[in-house]
Amino acid sequence: MLVAATNDTLINIWDLNKKAIDVRFCGHERPVTDVSISPFDANLFVTCSSDGCLRLFDRRNLEYSY
């Protein structure tokens, strides 16, 4: 898994085995500036954005963030 942020508010989760995007979704209202995957649980990752928000996502349920 590779999580990549874009300058147009999108977050892409790549499946490196398939060499393709597995999930693409909008996670912020402004460009996403950073992503960090949890070292303890690869399903959890945090994003930050120029909208001033940090969001915690769980790859198993991407409909919600904290």
Side-chain angles (χ1 to χ4, degrees):
M1 175 180 88
L2 172 75
V3 180
T6 65
N7 206 22
D8 60 358
T9 74
L10 292 177
I11 300 165
N12 299 314
I13 301 177
W14 287 79
D15 182 330
L16 297 178
N17 293 323
K18 295 178 185 175
K19 298 180 183 176
I21 294 175
D22 188 36
V23 178
R24 175 179 281 161
F25 63 99
C26 183
H28 289 275
E29 294 178 15
R30 300 196 66 199
V32 179
T33 56
D34 203 0
V35 175
S36 182
I37 300 171
S38 169
F40 305 106
D41 185 345
N43 289 302
L44 301 176
F45 61 95
V46 175
T47 60
C48 65
S49 168
S50 57
D51 63 11
C53 294
L54 289 171
R55 295 188 186 264
L56 172 64
F57 292 94
D58 186 329
R59 191 173 70 150
R60 297 164 290 204
N61 187 5
L62 293 172
E63 294 180 27
Y64 301 100
S65 65
Y66 303 97

